Amino acid sequence: MRALGLDLKKSRLGIASALIDFHLKNGAAEMTVPVRLQPPDVASFRDHTFEEVIYSHLELNGLRRASRPDPTALAAE
């Protein structure tokens, strides 16, 4: 990954967290939902009204891996 000319794979630098503002429209209403990403797998936000939209957008842009079913849950079926 290259960001601002840095090769993060070859350096000792890393990303501690990133804050992304999602600007969402629901009909005439508009809202901003700040989402904090913390590697390796934490996304936190307060308003979960648009949770599916946010997770979908993060997956489409390579910022979240698609969730895999828990093998123990599958075995219980």
Side-chain angles (χ1 to χ4, degrees):
M1 175 175 150
R2 286 195 169 277
L4 304 174
L6 297 173
D7 189 347
L8 296 177
K9 289 185 178 182
K10 293 182 180 179
S11 75
R12 289 193 267 166
L13 298 174
I15 297 173
S17 69
L19 184 63
I20 299 173
D21 282 339
F22 280 80
H23 300 280
L24 305 166
K25 288 185 179 182
N26 186 11
E30 294 184 28
M31 64 186 316
T32 300
V33 179
V35 177
R36 180 170 304 282
L37 302 175
Q38 293 177 282
D41 59 358
V42 175
S44 57
F45 45 98
R46 291 184 180 166
D47 187 342
H48 290 270
T49 305
F50 297 100
E51 182 173 333
E52 288 183 33
V53 172
I54 291 169
Y55 283 148
S56 176
H57 185 77
L58 292 173
E59 285 177 22
L60 287 171
N61 288 283
L63 298 172
R64 180 180 190 261
R65 286 181 245 148
S67 58
R68 293 183 296 246
D70 183 1
T72 55
L74 290 175
E77 289 183 356

